Amino acid sequence: MFHKRNISLIVLILISIIPILDLFRPGLPLTHDGQDHVARIANFYQNLAEGNIIPRWAGNLNWGYGHPILEFLYPLPSYFASFFHLLKFTLVDSVKLVFGISFILSGLSMYIFIKELLRDDKAAFFASALYLIAPYRFVDLYVRGAIGEHVAFIFPPLIFYFLIKLSKNNSYRYVLGGSFSLAGFILSHNATTLMFLPLILIYIFYLIFQCSNKKHFIFSSFILILLGFGLSAFFWIPAFTEGKYTLRDIVTGGGEYAGSFVIWKDFFISAWSYGGTLQLSKQIGIVHWAVILGSIIATYSLYKKRNKLWMVGLGSLLIFLLTLFLMTSSSNSVWQTFTILQKFQFPWRFLSVAVFLSALMGGISLSLISNKYKKVALLIFVVGLFVANRSYWHANGFLQKEENFYTGIYNSTTDTGESSPIWSVRFMEKRPKAHLEVIDGNANIKELDRESTYHKYQVQVNKSTLFGENTLYFPGWEIKANGILQNIEFQNKDYRGIMTFNLNEGSYVVESIYKETKLRLISDIISFTALSVAILLLLFKFVKLKLS
């Protein structure tokens, strides 16, 4: 059985490589966000190289005025890409490696989840194939270039896997595995995590009634969730709380979601397109629809056999239908009532949940087919998946840019302006004349040092002078002259969002420093504490094994 499982995993890896072969071609696939992601990661890596282990400020974005986008951008894909870049891969190749490896890992994670749930190797293989070869996966990969959502697909099956294991065996390693998986999910794409969170809680509730030691499972699940949110607190607490200082609610609000509702027919038949958010395909997939319909029969069969998995099948089907409903204009009143949904911007993002549930239903359906016909059915369905989706796993073209295009000053914020400070203009339109310039007065300036979060100048003021530090102000920035904090003005109507300050006649060493606010520092401490607890639990388990 061990040998057969290894063969299944090898075959699964091999077939998962086929849809990502375009990533082996030179250049960056042309996608909506691909180029911007590389530029963000270039700034992220620069922060790491300068010793900022939690990058929050992108100094080269926004025409060189800097931008706080890294505080609000899911950091795990950037950490992964930075690791590959440290190994001397180019930035573009590092991003492509993240896309490719994440794709393969998501299939493997679905495999181990379904294998544990159904104890059926072929069903696990089929569920993984459905999870991988779904039209929306290629929308993320080759149309949108949505690196965060793409990496996030790794984690839902892992969370469910560790929850199952925990319901059977109350072990530290399953708590920690689930905690790190949940943290990875949050750090990959916080919006997608919010979509899945109700599903995770429903599954915990289901497992409570299936496990023998309910109290231990409830407590362990609570610790798992608490530790997962704690490990990722350095990101999600500042991103959620300090978003009020940005244009987020203005840009993403105002009913933008209403223009992106899906027409019901598009779930069944939707033309493939590399166009914008209104043109991209929202189809579920022909084979996926077949197994979803088959899951109705499978669920009824499980119910007749008194197999408790019928609740998983029925729950998956009902929640799947709910996600379809939430993606259509029929749910507009729900979006207006529960305004947190509007943070998702595009209702069709619920396709991530639909892909997961359809793969789960497919695994359940195949598991009930007689062993005599299961291999044939698996072969037919997998071949059908490849045939039906073969036109979708190709890039629309490739972008060829030099490395310094991404590492230098980037003439964009790399988002639609939602991360721009609320007191600034949405986008800058030209590069500054100098990093520090005289607005009014007389002074000589010499730049001594410049990093992402630290700027240093030698300034000789000949008469009282108003300076413009051509960096957007955001909480955390402070300016010192000869070590003394200066009063910063950032709402000058002629220099909106730019830090301005006055100096009297004299000689100064001026420093602009971006520091952690109290909130960010508390968030960092929470994550450090959670990580310390996780390490102590691992050490305790290791010592216990040594002594036994």
Side-chain angles (χ1 to χ4, degrees):
M1 288 179 66
F2 179 79
H3 177 65
K4 287 182 178 180
R5 185 175 68 178
N6 279 353
I7 292 175
S8 296
L9 290 174
I10 291 169
V11 174
L12 183 62
I13 292 170
L14 290 175
I15 68 167
S16 65
I17 291 174
I18 295 172
I20 58 174
L21 287 175
D22 267 16
L23 296 179
F24 290 90
R25 297 174 63 180
L28 181 72
L30 287 172
T31 59
H32 299 172
D33 300 331
Q35 175 180 300
D36 287 343
H37 278 305
V38 180
R40 294 168 182 172
I41 289 167
N43 280 263
F44 193 95
Y45 181 82
Q46 182 177 337
N47 271 271
L48 292 174
E50 293 167 356
N52 302 321
I53 61 172
I54 303 177
R56 299 192 190 277
W57 185 262
N60 289 334
L61 297 187
N62 197 26
W63 299 80
Y65 286 91
H67 207 263
I69 189 172
L70 297 184
E71 176 166 330
F72 306 100
L73 180 73
Y74 29 84
L76 190 62
S78 297
Y79 279 116
F80 285 161
S82 295
F83 171 74
F84 291 124
H85 191 48
L86 182 66
L87 298 179
K88 304 304 181 184
F89 289 96
T90 67
L91 285 166
V92 168
D93 286 343
S94 297
V95 169
K96 291 198 292 184
L97 278 167
V98 173
F99 272 111
I101 293 172
S102 299
F103 187 77
I104 295 170
L105 289 178
S106 68
L108 295 176
S109 67
M110 178 57 83
Y111 176 89
I112 66 170
F113 161 49
I114 299 299
K115 184 71 166 60
E116 183 64 33
L117 176 69
L118 302 177
R119 297 294 179 178
D120 188 320
D121 182 71
K122 295 179 183 63
F125 188 95
F126 183 46
S128 300
L130 287 166
Y131 198 51
L132 290 167
I133 317 298
Y136 186 64
R137 297 299 305 273
F138 304 123
V139 169
D140 269 357
L141 177 57
Y142 288 124
V143 180
R144 298 177 60 217
I147 194 169
E149 286 187 43
H150 188 79
V151 173
F153 272 99
I154 298 171
F155 296 104
L158 285 180
I159 295 169
F160 279 70
Y161 166 77
F162 284 114
L163 285 171
I164 294 175
K165 298 295 286 187
L166 192 58
S167 70
K168 298 175 182 177
N169 182 358
N170 190 41
S171 171
Y172 290 131
R173 63 180 182 271
Y174 301 136
V175 173
L176 291 177
S179 298
F180 279 104
S181 298
L182 179 58
F185 199 11
I186 295 168
L187 297 175
S188 296
H189 202 267
N190 40 325
T192 305
T193 306
L194 268 179
M195 292 178 185
F196 272 87
L197 196 55
L199 191 61
I200 294 169
L201 295 175
I202 290 170
Y203 194 66
I204 289 174
F205 187 73
Y206 163 77
L207 289 175
I208 288 172
F209 290 93
Q210 307 306 314
C211 66
S212 55
N213 199 329
K214 293 177 173 51
K215 288 183 179 179
H216 280 166
F217 177 69
I218 292 170
F219 178 75
S220 297
S221 297
F222 174 76
I223 296 299
L224 184 156
I225 293 172
L226 186 66
L227 202 55
F229 275 93
L231 288 166
S232 56
F234 73 90
F235 163 63
W236 70 264
I237 292 179
F240 178 77
T241 307
E242 294 189 346
K244 65 186 177 184
Y245 301 130
T246 70
L247 297 171
R248 178 188 64 190
D249 293 336
I250 296 172
V251 173
T252 61
E256 182 186 12
Y257 70 91
S260 300
F261 279 127
V262 183
I263 301 172
W264 278 99
K265 76 170 184 63
D266 287 348
F267 293 130
F268 301 92
I269 302 173
S270 181
W272 189 255
S273 170
Y274 293 94
T277 57
L278 297 179
Q279 288 81 42
L280 55 82
S281 176
K282 285 89 174 179
Q283 60 183 301
I284 302 297
I286 296 172
V287 177
H288 292 74
W289 273 118
V291 299
I292 289 164
L293 293 174
S295 72
I296 299 173
I297 300 171
T299 299
Y300 179 73
S301 176
L302 288 167
Y303 175 75
K304 294 291 286 184
K305 294 176 181 178
R306 297 294 188 267
N307 188 320
K308 293 178 181 179
L309 276 173
W310 74 266
M311 288 184 280
V312 176
L314 180 60
S316 298
L317 180 61
L318 293 176
I319 297 171
F320 173 80
L321 294 174
L322 177 62
T323 62
L324 298 190
F325 169 73
L326 288 173
M327 287 186 273
T328 66
S329 58
S330 305
S331 66
N332 189 41
S333 60
V334 178
W335 286 75
Q336 290 177 344
T337 303
F338 301 97
T339 55
I340 191 172
L341 292 171
Q342 297 178 24
K343 307 297 183 188
F344 300 150
Q345 286 186 275
F346 311 115
W348 44 257
R349 275 184 163 157
F350 276 99
L351 283 167
S352 295
V353 181
V355 169
F356 175 82
L357 291 171
S358 60
L360 173 57
M361 288 186 280
I364 292 173
S365 298
L366 192 78
S367 69
L368 295 180
I369 295 177
S370 168
N371 288 329
K372 183 178 179 181
Y373 304 107
K374 193 173 291 187
K375 282 185 179 179
V376 176
L378 176 61
L379 180 63
I380 292 171
F381 278 126
V382 171
V383 170
L385 271 174
F386 274 81
V387 171
N389 298 282
R390 68 189 184 282
S391 301
Y392 306 150
W393 60 60
H394 298 291
N396 193 34
F398 294 87
L399 182 68
Q400 306 288 343
K401 295 282 187 182
E402 296 294 328
E403 189 90 340
N404 59 13
F405 173 79
Y406 302 105
T407 57
I409 301 300
Y410 195 73
N411 299 341
S412 169
T413 62
T414 77
D415 68 4
T416 56
E418 67 264 24
S419 301
S420 296
I422 200 166
W423 44 77
S424 71
V425 294
R426 187 168 172 180
F427 306 105
M428 292 300 184
E429 296 179 350
K430 60 181 179 180
R431 299 186 183 189
K433 296 176 183 178
H435 294 140
L436 180 66
E437 65 175 312
V438 173
I439 294 175
D440 183 35
N442 189 309
N444 299 316
I445 302 168
K446 180 182 179 181
E447 187 168 310
L448 301 177
D449 191 12
R450 187 171 185 84
E451 294 182 349
S452 299
T453 58
Y454 180 75
H455 313 153
K456 186 177 182 181
Y457 312 90
Q458 180 70 55
V459 178
Q460 180 63 48
V461 181
N462 302 317
K463 69 174 185 178
S464 183
T465 299
L466 175 64
F467 292 91
E469 218 291 13
N470 285 314
T471 300
L472 284 185
Y473 175 76
F474 200 72
W477 275 112
E478 61 183 35
I479 294 178
K480 293 181 178 180
N482 293 340
I484 300 172
L485 278 173
Q486 302 299 301
N487 292 322
I488 299 173
E489 172 62 51
F490 53 89
Q491 297 188 51
N492 187 317
K493 62 183 178 62
D494 296 320
Y495 299 89
R496 283 185 57 194
I498 302 302
M499 295 189 288
T500 62
F501 62 100
N502 286 282
L503 288 177
N504 294 322
E505 185 177 342
S507 180
Y508 300 90
V509 172
V510 176
E511 298 170 290
S512 303
I513 310 164
Y514 191 63
K515 293 184 174 181
E516 295 286 67
T517 60
K518 289 182 180 178
L519 175 73
R520 294 176 210 152
L521 188 58
I522 291 170
S523 304
D524 296 344
I525 292 171
I526 292 172
S527 288
F528 178 77
T529 303
L531 182 60
S532 299
V533 170
I535 292 171
L536 287 173
L537 285 172
L538 284 172
L539 289 175
F540 176 77
K541 187 69 176 178
F542 177 76
V543 171
K544 189 177 178 181
L545 285 172
K546 284 289 186 180
L547 294 175
S548 61

